Amino acid sequence: MARTKQYNEEEVLEKAMNLFWKNGYETTSMHMLEKEMGINKFSIYSSFGNKHGLFLESLKHYKSRVNTILQKFKKGTKGVEDIKQFFYDSVSSNFKDDNLKGCFVTNTYNEFSETEDELIKEQMHSFMDNLKSIIIAKLKMDTTKTEDTVIKQANYLLLAKHGLAAAARVNTTQEIEDYIEMTFKNI
Amino acid sequence: MARTKQYNEEEVLEKAMNLFWKNGYETTSMHMLEKEMGINKFSIYSSFGNKHGLFLESLKHYKSRVNTILQKFKKGTKGVEDIKQFFYDSVSSNFKDDNLKGCFVTNTYNEFSETEDELIKEQMHSFMDNLKSIIIAKLKMDTTKTEDTVIKQANYLLLAKHGLAAAARVNTTQEIEDYIEMTFKNI
DNA sequence: ACAATAACTAACCGTTCGTTTAGTTAAAAA
DNA sequence: TTTTTAACTAAACGAACGGTTAGTTATTGT
């Protein structure tokens, strides 16, 4: 063997993820990534292939990070109350260090909505489908709801979650809280 | 005087607006604008200064176009019912010619949320503030609501409208309709 | 100690970006 | 008809983009 890597791939990936999360794909340049990750282009390309590959890995890394919240959500037994708690958990990470970046998946969903990038779309759909099925499961815990009501409410909540993630970039904690409370008033 | 312009400034601005609306600011290149507007770079620069100026004019043009809907909204006398109708009016234009572009102002709001562009932010805030004051006026038509309730509901609806505009790019007519109906169940 | 090899640096690749400008064309004023 | 001047064309500008590569450095197994 030969020389060992002087950087930790997961560490620099975390930094890349934060930059992509904040600025989106197109706005983040390789130059910015070099500076933020603390390694140069050669190292980035040898570790992640290209900018697109690095972005995909950042997305996957993000998904594995939010998996903690998602697992807690899945395990809940309180139905609608779990969904509401999940909403709160999702935005709370945003207000930790003053970085209002929204949800990385939702941001990406919006930025790539007009493109034909299959790899990105696959990541988006798997995340959304998973989320939807969990929401449906929670709603069905209330056995008085009809199948039709469950579907309608699930669609509503998914859209509300989408909007919440987008709004989390620009709104205050209070506005977000009011929004969540109001959203669950009639569910 | 000398030679007359062979293009109509408002006509080419309309085309530029549609391109910016669909793709956002950064993704839209001057080359694309040349092709779409049907005039070349020189003409664009002499009429609109630069890309940023053209974008600002496109935004203003958009705002004057949606002013029709906004005036109708303002004139309404049915309170909450007017707000709901405004939500429907806002998304209906999207489904006319299969172009799911959302709301141009909201798209811009999201794209520029991390920048320091004062001119853009000014356009955003004037639009949002105006919208909020109209919503508050409509809510206050129900005199049984307390001031606190009005503010909370106004914030809720503003966020819902924001989310709706973002979702209009990716969701189906049915999902959008369900979302609006469900949104107003909580008011 | 030394050869092998992977990690590194830095300069450079071809494109495309937004913007400018030299040169040409055409319409209005004289 | 001639002069003036703005509208036009097209080529070029420097900077930045994502990506590559020749050359150097350092660590490993022998």
Side-chain angles (χ1 to χ4, degrees):
Chain A
M1 288 299 288
R3 195 170 169 180
T4 49
K5 274 200 178 64
Q6 288 181 297
Y7 59 93
N8 179 302
E9 291 202 343
E10 197 169 328
E11 270 178 24
V12 297
L13 180 60
E14 173 91 13
K15 288 174 181 171
M17 180 198 72
N18 279 313
L19 206 60
F20 277 132
W21 188 356
K22 184 180 176 187
N23 303 314
Y25 181 72
E26 289 294 341
T27 309
T28 306
S29 71
M30 290 304 298
H31 182 70
M32 294 161 76
L33 287 163
E34 270 187 301
K35 293 293 162 69
E36 184 72 23
M37 297 167 81
I39 58 179
N40 74 357
K41 284 181 191 175
F42 179 90
S43 303
I44 299 176
Y45 278 85
S46 70
S47 279
F48 304 100
N50 53 25
K51 189 189 181 187
H52 192 267
L54 176 58
F55 186 76
L56 269 176
E57 285 307 308
S58 298
L59 254 185
K60 286 177 188 167
H61 185 65
Y62 175 83
K63 286 167 76 174
S64 76
R65 266 189 33 158
V66 297
N67 202 254
T68 315
I69 298 175
L70 226 52
Q71 285 307 314
K72 177 191 167 193
F73 181 28
K74 222 169 192 166
K75 285 203 186 94
T77 55
K78 294 181 196 149
V80 174
E81 193 61 38
D82 295 324
I83 309 178
K84 193 179 181 179
Q85 186 57 49
F86 169 69
F87 273 46
Y88 273 111
D89 288 344
S90 298
V91 293
S92 74
S93 61
N94 268 271
F95 297 108
K96 268 179 184 152
D97 17 54
D98 278 4
N99 55 346
L100 311 174
K101 295 180 291 192
C103 166
F104 189 22
V105 175
T106 309
N107 296 350
T108 305
Y109 200 65
N110 289 328
E111 180 173 357
F112 284 80
S113 67
E114 286 289 324
T115 77
E116 307 286 331
D117 196 313
E118 292 305 322
L119 288 172
I120 298 284
K121 287 200 169 177
E122 192 183 310
Q123 292 293 318
M124 297 296 107
H125 283 128
S126 80
F127 186 86
M128 297 296 183
D129 291 349
N130 185 27
L131 193 58
K132 187 169 184 173
S133 70
I134 304 176
I135 289 178
I136 288 176
K138 298 302 165 201
L139 289 173
K140 280 188 173 169
M141 281 180 179
D142 180 349
T143 50
T144 66
K145 285 189 207 294
T146 65
E147 181 76 20
D148 190 64
T149 305
V150 167
I151 298 297
K152 267 198 162 64
Q153 292 190 339
N155 281 332
Y156 168 69
L157 289 171
L158 222 58
L159 252 166
K161 175 71 179 63
H162 186 97
L164 185 67
R169 297 172 66 91
V170 285
N171 290 82
T172 66
T173 314
Q174 188 58 52
E175 287 168 332
I176 300 283
E177 255 182 49
D178 287 355
Y179 179 72
I180 296 177
E181 288 303 321
M182 207 76 85
T183 299
F184 284 92
K185 260 194 173 170
N186 271 13
I187 299 292
Chain B
M1 288 298 287
R3 195 170 170 181
T4 50
K5 275 200 176 65
Q6 290 181 294
Y7 58 92
N8 179 302
E9 291 202 344
E10 197 168 328
E11 269 177 27
V12 298
L13 180 60
E14 172 90 12
K15 288 174 183 173
M17 181 198 72
N18 280 312
L19 205 60
F20 276 132
W21 188 356
K22 183 180 177 186
N23 303 315
Y25 181 72
E26 288 295 341
T27 310
T28 305
S29 70
M30 289 305 297
H31 183 69
M32 293 160 74
L33 286 163
E34 270 187 302
K35 293 295 163 69
E36 184 71 24
M37 297 167 81
I39 58 180
N40 75 356
K41 287 179 187 175
F42 179 90
S43 304
I44 298 175
Y45 277 86
S46 71
S47 281
F48 305 99
N50 53 24
K51 189 190 180 185
H52 192 267
L54 176 58
F55 186 75
L56 268 175
E57 285 307 309
S58 298
L59 255 185
K60 286 177 188 168
H61 185 65
Y62 176 83
K63 285 167 75 175
S64 76
R65 264 190 32 157
V66 297
N67 202 255
T68 315
I69 298 175
L70 227 53
Q71 286 307 315
K72 177 190 167 193
F73 180 27
K74 224 169 191 167
K75 285 202 185 95
T77 55
K78 294 181 198 151
V80 174
E81 193 61 37
D82 294 324
I83 310 178
K84 192 177 179 180
Q85 187 56 50
F86 169 70
F87 273 47
Y88 273 110
D89 288 344
S90 298
V91 293
S92 74
S93 60
N94 267 270
F95 297 109
K96 269 179 186 152
D97 18 53
D98 278 6
N99 56 345
L100 311 173
K101 297 181 288 194
C103 167
F104 189 22
V105 175
T106 309
N107 296 351
T108 305
Y109 201 65
N110 288 329
E111 181 173 358
F112 284 80
S113 66
E114 285 290 322
T115 78
E116 306 288 329
D117 196 314
E118 292 306 322
L119 288 172
I120 298 285
K121 287 199 171 179
E122 193 184 308
Q123 292 293 319
M124 298 295 105
H125 285 129
S126 80
F127 186 87
M128 296 295 183
D129 292 349
N130 185 28
L131 192 58
K132 186 168 183 172
S133 70
I134 304 176
I135 288 177
I136 288 175
K138 297 302 163 200
L139 289 172
K140 280 187 174 170
M141 283 180 179
D142 179 350
T143 51
T144 66
K145 285 189 208 295
T146 67
E147 181 76 21
D148 189 63
T149 306
V150 167
I151 298 297
K152 269 198 162 64
Q153 291 189 340
N155 280 333
Y156 167 68
L157 288 171
L158 222 58
L159 253 165
K161 175 72 177 65
H162 187 96
L164 184 66
R169 297 172 65 89
V170 285
N171 290 82
T172 65
T173 314
Q174 188 58 52
E175 286 167 334
I176 300 282
E177 256 183 47
D178 287 355
Y179 178 73
I180 296 177
E181 289 302 322
M182 206 76 84
T183 298
F184 283 91
K185 273 193 177 166
N186 296 332
I187 299 296

